[in-house]
Amino acid sequence: MPPTPSMEDYIERIYALIEEKGYARVSDLAENLEVHPSSVTKMIQKLDKGKYVVYEKYRGFVLTPNGKKLGKRLVYRHELLEDFLKVIGVDDENIFQDVEGIEHHLSWNAIDRIGDLVQFFEEDKNRIKDLREVQAKNEDQEQS
């Protein structure tokens, strides 16, 4: 079964926590995702059925190879979208919320094209400078 957006959020956070700390516990996920530990346990059981994690009651859980692969892709998607929003000039205080709002609604094809666009701008910083000039000009026109 393909993961739901909620399942993706959990897999992404589990992957990131394991990368950061070497492990992920129910309490870490509950704190990180701002949900009750009982909600985490229910989702971990779903992810276990979906073959994304191996869950052993009272012992914790680990990502399966499939879960690791997906987790890595989800973290990449999140970071890429943050980079994209920075490149196009979105204010820092809006970036996290905007990424959370759009990341589950884009195809992997769209993610790949956004990756190409970010690479295009990052390979030549003059392109970003040119974009900022267009944005400044447009803001000046809006003010008039």
Side-chain angles (χ1 to χ4, degrees):
M1 94 178 141
T4 64
S6 182
M7 292 167 91
E8 285 185 350
D9 285 340
Y10 274 82
I11 294 166
E12 179 183 347
R13 289 310 315 143
I14 292 166
Y15 181 85
L17 282 166
I18 291 171
E19 287 294 298
E20 278 171 38
K21 299 168 75 169
Y23 61 90
R25 298 181 313 217
V26 168
S27 58
D28 297 323
L29 273 172
E31 183 180 327
N32 218 276
L33 294 168
E34 298 176 359
V35 296
H36 290 285
S38 60
S39 299
V40 173
T41 300
K42 284 180 191 163
M43 180 58 79
I44 294 300
Q45 290 167 342
K46 283 183 188 174
L47 293 173
D48 183 68
K49 281 186 185 135
K51 308 285 189 237
Y52 297 107
V53 301
V54 175
Y55 174 67
E56 295 177 16
K57 201 168 183 178
Y58 307 115
R59 303 228 24 230
F61 50 90
V62 294
L63 289 167
T64 63
N66 189 29
K68 275 184 194 168
K69 182 179 172 187
L70 181 57
K72 187 174 184 173
R73 280 187 88 194
L74 296 171
V75 167
Y76 164 77
R77 175 180 73 186
H78 190 100
E79 290 172 351
L80 175 66
L81 290 172
E82 284 185 359
D83 291 346
F84 172 66
L85 294 179
K86 284 177 189 162
V87 164
I88 64 171
V90 173
D91 294 335
D92 285 345
E93 63 267 13
N94 297 327
I95 288 178
F96 182 80
Q97 198 65 38
D98 287 347
V99 169
E100 289 296 309
I102 63 174
E103 67 183 339
H104 301 294
H105 302 283
L106 296 171
S107 68
W108 285 103
N109 179 248
I111 296 297
D112 290 342
R113 299 301 63 84
I114 289 170
D116 296 341
L117 190 63
V118 168
Q119 181 181 348
F120 173 78
F121 277 102
E122 289 180 342
E123 282 179 351
D124 183 347
K125 297 300 180 190
N126 287 322
R127 294 171 180 155
I128 293 177
K129 187 173 113 335
D130 292 345
L131 177 61
R132 295 294 177 265
E133 288 172 10
V134 168
Q135 290 168 331
K137 186 173 74 178
N138 289 341
E139 283 181 18
D140 287 345
Q141 288 176 350
E142 288 173 13
Q143 311 268 315
S144 307

